[in-house]
Amino acid sequence: MKGLYCRVGVNDAEPKFVIQETTLPEVLGGHQVRVQVKACGLSALDLKLLEDVGIQRDLIPVGREVAGVVLQVGSDVAFFQPEDEVVGILPLDSPCSGLCDTIDIDEHYLVQKPEKLSSVCVAGALQDGLCAYTALHTHARMAAGHTLLVLDGASSFGLMCIQLACYHGVKVLTTSHSQQKHTFLEQLRPSVARVIPVYKDSSDLLPVVLEETGGLGVDIVIDSGVRLQEDKEPEEMKLLPHKHDIISVLGVGGHWVTSHQDLQLDPPDCRLLHLKSASVSFLNPEVWTASSAQQGRYLHIMKDIVEKMSAGVLRPQPEEAVPLYEATVAMETVQRHQKKKAVVQL
């Protein structure tokens, strides 16, 4: 059978995505589950992260968010049996590409897929759901009555944050990056308290947030990227807030969850955070599969995400599935950040 792999470029050359023949072992490991893949989500590979955790291969498997049907189980598997529908995220060091017809995966990375939830929907939204859950519950300790600012709420991750927060009784403010996204966010149900059109004037963010919160600031900020400098950023960064603006909108005891890996805080920024007794957390959802220390909590989160999707609490924007023969082109588009996500239907 064939799978999709990434051949890392030398000297900053662009990575190449290639179809390679691969085989599975004849005998399953004790806790292994053999799954026939029905759909696979494609996200951009973080090659720097793989290097940092010591994963260095000539060919890196591509496609980790999978949904499928159990074909066979190992002798020690306790939670699954053949013909169960399952969903999961392959660990960083998995030798399998999620675009193979059949994969072997440890049972502790899988949860049952509700029958009425489509494989394409869950494969396309699982990673964003995990990020939203990690940001709001694990890092920010979200609770009813809190006020949340989600930056770029129309993104797939932002939308998951909004829906999860609204379900828990949190007041949500968000920003829009275009007129089309602004209209989409204003029509969301349950509705958000305020949509701030930063595409018109990014300096509106702080006064609008303070107006909405009576001058107190928000309890939680979830960003989608940050500007570190005022004037040396490329054009596409202009819609992102400056780090000082984010710290300024935080209330006392507030919590900022950032996706910016290279965030740099200067002494005045730290001083302002100290005065507010506020905190910063870095969002890296890969820690769940990189360490088995909190495996039970991870599986609880995954199960809750798919159940909320099935119940309609989380309603991801539908991704149009592409056929397997277009997977290489789709992955190249995602890796260049021309598209956030792609889903391949097998």
Side-chain angles (χ1 to χ4, degrees), residues 209-219 248-252 276:
V209 169
L210 293 179
E211 176 193 331
E212 280 290 330
T213 59
L216 297 175
V218 296
D219 299 294
S248 299
V249 301
L250 279 174
V252 172
K276 296 183 177 214

Side-chain angles (χ1 to χ4, degrees), residues 31 39 50 61 70 134 137 139 173 197-198 207 216 263 276 278 288 291 294 296 304 318 344:
H31 287 283
L50 292 172
V70 175
T134 306
H137 284 295
H139 288 311
L173 314 176
V198 293
L216 297 175
L263 180 68
K276 296 183 177 214
W288 293 113
S291 168
Q294 301 191 56
D304 201 43
V344 178

Side-chain angles (χ1 to χ4, degrees), residues 224-285:
S224 57
V226 186
R227 273 191 298 138
L228 300 180
Q229 297 173 322
E230 288 287 4
D231 48 5
K232 295 182 181 178
E233 303 285 2
E235 192 62 36
E236 64 268 18
M237 299 286 284
K238 293 293 173 65
L239 293 173
L240 298 178
H242 188 264
K243 58 182 178 179
H244 184 75
D245 292 335
I246 293 181
I247 296 170
S248 299
V249 301
L250 279 174
V252 172
H255 203 97
W256 171 16
V257 182
T258 182
S259 302
H260 200 298
Q261 299 179 16
D262 303 314
L263 180 68
Q264 296 175 345
L265 295 178
D266 301 318
D269 301 323
C270 295
R271 178 68 181 161
L272 187 51
L273 284 167
H274 169 75
L275 288 171
K276 296 183 177 214
S277 193
S279 56
V280 182
S281 289
F282 289 87
L283 177 61
N284 176 17

